[in-house]
Amino acid sequence: MVKPELENKELFKSGHTACAGCGVAVGLRHIMRALGKDTIVVNATGCTEIFTSAYPKSAWAVPYIHCVFENSAPVAAGISEALRAMGNDHTKVVVISGDGASYDIGFGHMSGMFERGHDVLYICYDNEAYMNTGVQRSGATPWKAHTTTSQVGKQIRGKMQFKKPLTEIVAAHNVPYVATSTSAHYADLQQKVQKAKEIKGPSFLNVLMTCVPGWGTTPSLSMQYLKDAVDTHVWPLMEIENGFSKLSMKPEKKPVEAYLKGQKRFRHLTEEDIAEIQEMIDERWDHWVWKEKVDQERKAGLEASE
Amino acid sequence: MKKTIEGSIAVAEVARDCGPDVVACFPITPSTHIAETLDKMYTNGEIKSYTAVESEFSAISMLVGASAAGARAFTTTDSQGLALMHEVLFAAAGMRLPMVIVNANRSLSAPLSIWNDHQDSVSERDSGWIQLYCKNNQEAVDTVPQAFKISEDTNIPVMVCFDGFYLTHLVEQIDIPEKEVIGKYLPKRKAEYKLDPENPITMGMYALPTHYQGFRIDLHQDVLKAAENVKKEMEAWGDVSGRKYGNGLWEEYHAEDAEYLFIGMGSVMENAELAVEKMRKEGKKVGLVRIRCYRPFPSEVVEAIKGKKGALVFEKAVSMGADAPLYAEISSAMKEKGADVPLSSYVGGLGGKDITVGHIEQMFGEIEGGPVKKVWDGETGAPKIKKSLGAGEENGGA
Ligand SMILES: Cc1ncc(C[n+]2csc(CCOP(=O)(O)OP(=O)(O)O)c2C)c(N)n1
Ligand code: SF4
Ligand SMILES: [Mg+2]
């Protein structure tokens, strides 16, 4: 792993109003240090916008723009086109938007941006629900999780649907660099941000970030849950470069219970539920291990025949 | 240069010669030919950038990004496309981002109709955009450079409205301003503020009750003040092109000594000019007031209405469950300014129902008996007259 060259000044300033222990605020700080000054940030409506930009104060030491909930991708595309048309070939345009903006309401516009290949790095900070409006389900909310719109009742117990595989969907757009990370794996995150930044064209990072009230945890455990998400294989860290996938870490598997326990959104889960989740996670992990093998062999084969 | 050319193509040529940095469009009848022409221009290297986006929502969002980055930005749309942009129209104006939309006026669903009326843009009257309505294609090509100038001077976005099909698809002789003339009139954009890593600013913040109202009322006041820019640019453009349309805010036609006035917007007003010509020959003292600038609303237009025996407002828009929008606004301005003229309201021409010279004569006739409030249904068997304007066919063509 290459040690990333970090901006020595904070570009995401303190004094914002995120909750104590907010995984998003931690992630933003790492991301901004990895991006550096020559960056324009585009942000969708959501927690980040609210906790960083209450007029007349701003936490951003780089140019920042927010327009509405679902249009950060096309706003970024417009900036990128404008920079190109006006002869600026160095400034990086970076979207930082939530899972609601990315998995759901802005999904079509984001897909359009990737399909057209604008020079934009899109970072989805995935805290697995609409947190700003008080924890409602999104396409990113995991199976069975409780939110205020996937409640636990007598007949239905949490979200009935599975998490949308956004990382793979974006990769299927032939986006040259797609990766996952978390706020807690900051070296991994910063390295991936810097790699993505160098791509001329679209790139995508899907970064898991804790929400303290949304997940029902405490500030002191905010980073621990992200580590557990990776160690239990719930959130595999990977890169998909030009279609070839590679796992960034292959941690020895912890039982999924280590991740689920203590989060209030999962507290209604039965033993059977947990066993079923474990089975699904194992299956997904096996899939990624297999896919990495196939992809890397294919890549090596292609390189050898060149 | 005079050319026999389709309205859409002429508008695209002028938009190109205004030197936009970013153009992003999505096809919708009847504005599609403008988008296609601009795309073709891009493939030939005549404009710097053209993006065929996946929706009008993305088109206007790209303009927001481009304008925020300091670029000159343009798109065209109408009807469902404009309605889809609704949310971003308000945001773009609130963020004080200059940009230009050419809206090829078309009705709104349901039922679906591709034909002309003004329901699409009139529904966006409260968005904070300046709205200019053109009576013919010559005015549309003359208005696009003014729109960029006004927008970039005021940091308020501008919508140029011209009627779908009646104008977009009409092939006629148009004097297209030379690129050099436009270049001289419209200097490169110098953004007062922009997204620039050398000088980082935060745009599109949220505001608490302490500040929110102040921002919105500032915008409102600045839109009102932009009336001066609209007037000034009409003068300035008149000086370089030799063509003027009233004072930029409204245009009068035989209004001064008229006893009865027909008030309206858009291409129907060319037919109304023909009707007035004909009726004047018959000794009837009729005239026109054409609202060119609908936002900011020029309430001083009342001065042109004062003292008449009667006036009627004809409009191709409805406010469901209330008085028609233009009528309501003129009537409120008259009340405020003490103009006691019997005012009639006609709604018609919706979804492309033709309004002929004969119809306009009939409306003039009807209001002589006192104020009327009605929906004009068109098929009245009115005599149709041949005229040599526009398509040259019959009177519906202009
Ligand atoms: C069109 C529209 N619908 C709904 C909202 C209300 N809203 C604001 S932020 C938000 C949820 C944001 O969720 P996400 O993108 O996951 O970001 P988070 O708040 O979790 O950081 C919602 C529903 C809105 N602003 N605009
Ligand atoms: S609600 Fe969640 S995402 Fe929002 S600021 Fe608080 S911890 Fe962060
Ligand atoms: Mg979220």
Side-chain angles (χ1 to χ4, degrees):
Chain A
M1 192 188 275
V2 195
K3 217 172 176 261
E5 282 278 320
L6 297 182
E7 184 74 39
N8 58 20
K9 257 184 27 203
E10 294 292 349
L11 298 173
F12 178 71
K13 302 281 194 188
S14 59
H16 57 73
T17 57
C19 309
C22 174
V24 181
V26 174
L28 290 174
R29 193 176 149 213
H30 296 317
I31 289 169
M32 289 319 300
R33 283 193 68 192
L35 284 171
K37 273 189 267 192
D38 198 8
T39 304
I40 294 173
V41 170
V42 185
N43 177 217
T45 312
C47 266
T48 299
E49 173 244 346
I50 296 300
F51 72 66
T52 65
S53 77
Y55 181 84
K57 292 183 187 160
S58 170
W60 300 95
V62 296
Y64 163 99
I65 183 170
H66 155 262
C67 183
V68 297
F69 189 12
E70 62 277 34
N71 73 355
S72 46
V75 167
I79 297 169
S80 168
E81 281 303 299
L83 295 180
R84 194 176 61 75
M86 298 188 301
N88 174 335
D89 60 0
H90 48 85
T91 302
K92 190 74 195 181
V93 184
V94 182
V95 173
I96 304 179
S97 292
D99 51 291
S102 313
Y103 283 70
D104 292 351
I105 198 167
F107 180 73
H109 308 308
M110 183 187 72
S111 170
M113 184 199 83
F114 284 133
E115 181 266 329
R116 293 188 301 270
H118 297 279
D119 185 7
V120 172
L121 161 55
Y122 192 113
I123 301 177
C124 168
Y125 69 88
D126 183 359
N127 55 16
E128 303 197 312
Y130 307 157
M131 299 313 181
N132 183 47
T133 37
V135 198
Q136 292 84 28
R137 88 187 277 290
S138 78
T141 305
W143 186 59
K144 290 273 172 176
H146 166 274
T147 69
T148 62
T149 53
S150 60
Q151 302 224 18
V152 178
K154 284 189 190 129
Q155 297 191 8
I156 295 171
R157 300 179 58 78
K159 191 183 169 193
M160 310 264 287
Q161 301 81 14
F162 299 104
K163 187 176 174 104
K164 190 191 274 191
L166 188 66
T167 310
E168 291 144 274
I169 294 170
V170 174
H173 287 70
N174 292 326
V175 171
Y177 185 76
V178 172
T180 60
S181 193
T182 86
S183 300
H185 299 78
Y186 54 87
D188 176 84
L189 173 60
Q190 286 168 337
Q191 202 206 6
K192 285 171 177 169
V193 168
Q194 294 205 329
K195 209 161 167 183
K197 185 183 140 178
E198 295 311 317
I199 306 279
K200 280 275 165 230
S203 52
F204 177 71
L205 297 184
N206 202 0
V207 188
L208 190 70
M209 302 197 184
T210 339
C211 170
V212 174
W215 294 13
T217 175
T218 53
S220 60
L221 290 177
S222 178
M223 293 298 112
Q224 186 57 47
Y225 275 114
L226 297 176
K227 285 190 180 138
D228 287 341
V230 172
D231 292 347
T232 55
H233 300 174
V234 164
W235 186 258
L237 300 188
M238 68 174 90
E239 293 180 295
I240 308 174
E241 268 186 277
N242 300 311
F244 301 111
S245 59
K246 192 171 189 325
L247 290 161
S248 317
M249 270 172 82
K250 285 182 197 153
E252 192 141 339
K253 188 183 77 181
K254 272 194 188 176
V256 73
E257 214 173 339
Y259 174 66
L260 301 174
K261 71 163 194 301
Q263 293 190 46
K264 288 201 186 107
R265 60 178 175 158
F266 294 125
R267 70 175 160 192
H268 57 285
L269 296 192
T270 60
E271 264 172 40
E272 293 80 65
D273 290 335
I274 295 172
E276 209 170 323
I277 292 171
Q278 184 69 65
E279 217 173 286
M280 287 190 302
I281 301 247
D282 290 348
E283 214 172 279
R284 289 301 294 160
W285 179 259
D286 289 348
H287 164 82
W288 283 115
V289 171
W290 168 82
K291 186 150 190 326
E292 174 186 57
K293 187 166 171 287
V294 172
D295 284 353
Q296 293 304 320
E297 277 173 12
R298 200 161 56 90
K299 189 175 167 217
L302 282 170
E303 277 166 4
S305 69
E306 253 170 28
Chain B
M1 195 179 50
K2 281 196 175 141
K3 274 192 197 174
T4 300
I5 187 170
E6 185 187 302
S8 295
I9 317 289
V11 163
E13 289 189 1
V14 171
R16 170 199 61 200
D17 292 343
C18 287
D21 297 296
V22 172
V23 178
C25 306
F26 191 80
I28 181 164
T29 306
S31 68
T32 307
H33 290 179
I34 306 174
E36 288 172 338
T37 309
L38 285 161
D39 180 80
K40 178 79 182 162
M41 289 165 172
Y42 177 54
T43 62
N44 288 328
E46 296 169 29
I47 53 174
K48 291 187 210 158
S49 151
Y50 179 93
T51 307
V53 278
E54 86 299 332
S55 67
E56 292 86 352
F57 194 88
S58 276
I60 188 72
S61 300
M62 276 193 68
L63 264 56
V64 163
S67 181
R72 180 166 289 162
F74 178 84
T75 190
T76 182
T77 190
D78 56 80
S79 180
Q80 309 305 118
L82 191 68
L84 187 61
M85 291 179 178
H86 175 78
E87 185 190 18
V88 186
L89 294 179
F90 279 66
M95 291 167 80
R96 302 304 300 265
L97 295 172
M99 61 184 73
V100 172
I101 291 182
V102 166
N103 186 62
N105 282 97
R106 166 182 152 180
S107 51
L108 281 171
S109 286
L112 187 147
S113 156
I114 58 169
W115 308 105
N116 167 254
D117 65 40
H118 291 169
Q119 292 183 84
D120 53 358
S121 51
V122 166
S123 298
E124 303 300 342
R125 65 181 188 176
D126 300 333
S127 61
W129 284 60
I130 292 166
Q131 289 195 345
L132 305 172
Y133 288 75
C134 305
K135 68 173 175 184
N136 56 28
N137 281 324
Q138 185 63 57
E139 185 179 357
V141 302
D142 285 326
T143 301
V144 171
Q146 294 175 51
F148 278 110
K149 186 74 168 50
I150 295 164
S151 186
E152 292 171 12
D153 283 351
T154 58
N155 293 316
I156 297 168
V158 178
M159 199 180 291
V160 177
C161 302
F162 81 133
D163 285 330
F165 288 110
Y166 291 123
L167 298 180
T168 52
H169 287 57
L170 178 66
V171 177
E172 61 178 339
Q173 205 181 56
I174 303 173
D175 193 350
I176 302 194
E178 311 286 334
K179 191 176 176 178
E180 295 67 43
V181 173
I182 298 177
K184 248 200 191 149
Y185 167 78
L186 180 68
K188 263 182 91 126
R189 180 178 169 207
K190 278 201 203 72
E192 228 174 282
Y193 35 79
K194 63 176 180 181
L195 298 167
D196 173 12
E198 297 294 320
N199 178 27
I201 57 167
T202 294
M203 297 177 86
M205 311 177 83
Y206 89 96
L208 292 166
T210 37
H211 291 105
Y212 177 87
Q213 182 167 300
F215 277 111
R216 298 303 290 172
I217 299 304
D218 273 358
L219 173 61
H220 167 58
Q221 299 293 357
D222 287 349
V223 173
L224 285 172
K225 274 191 234 152
E228 287 311 310
N229 298 70
V230 174
K231 282 203 272 192
K232 189 175 114 208
E233 295 314 323
M234 181 50 80
E235 281 297 314
W237 181 255
D239 290 346
V240 297
S241 71
R243 287 180 296 273
K244 266 185 213 171
Y245 304 89
N247 62 4
L249 300 173
W250 72 86
E251 187 181 33
E252 298 176 20
Y253 188 76
H254 292 291
E256 211 171 301
D257 67 338
E259 289 172 350
Y260 293 96
L261 282 181
F262 182 100
I263 305 166
M265 304 199 290
S267 65
V268 73
M269 298 308 283
E270 265 212 336
N271 276 7
E273 285 180 14
L274 297 178
V276 165
E277 265 172 42
K278 181 166 177 269
M279 291 172 77
R280 283 264 165 181
K281 276 189 202 133
E282 293 160 5
K284 292 177 186 149
K285 289 187 130 185
V286 290
L288 307 178
V289 169
R290 177 172 71 89
I291 304 295
R292 176 175 183 265
C293 180
Y294 181 49
R295 282 295 178 277
F297 187 74
S299 47
E300 324 80 79
V301 74
V302 169
E303 297 309 320
I305 306 169
K306 267 188 182 160
K308 307 297 178 199
K309 284 191 182 157
L312 75 91
V313 180
F314 173 82
E315 58 202 297
K316 297 183 179 183
V318 208
S319 175
M320 299 296 170
D323 278 338
L326 186 59
Y327 164 80
E329 292 183 47
I330 300 231
S331 141
S332 122
M334 283 172 58
K335 191 153 187 221
E336 197 178 292
K337 295 191 190 310
D340 194 16
V341 178
L343 189 67
S344 298
S345 172
Y346 285 82
V347 168
L350 299 187
K353 215 177 230 306
D354 280 336
I355 300 298
T356 66
V357 170
H359 296 160
I360 294 164
E361 282 181 75
Q362 285 190 352
M363 289 182 223
F364 267 124
E366 284 183 356
I367 65 163
E368 277 179 31
V372 174
K373 214 183 233 187
K374 70 191 271 189
V375 172
W376 184 262
D377 217 9
E379 303 313 324
T380 58
K384 297 196 173 178
I385 55 158
K386 285 223 178 244
K387 272 283 168 184
S388 58
L389 251 203
E393 256 287 6
E394 54 171 44
N395 39 40

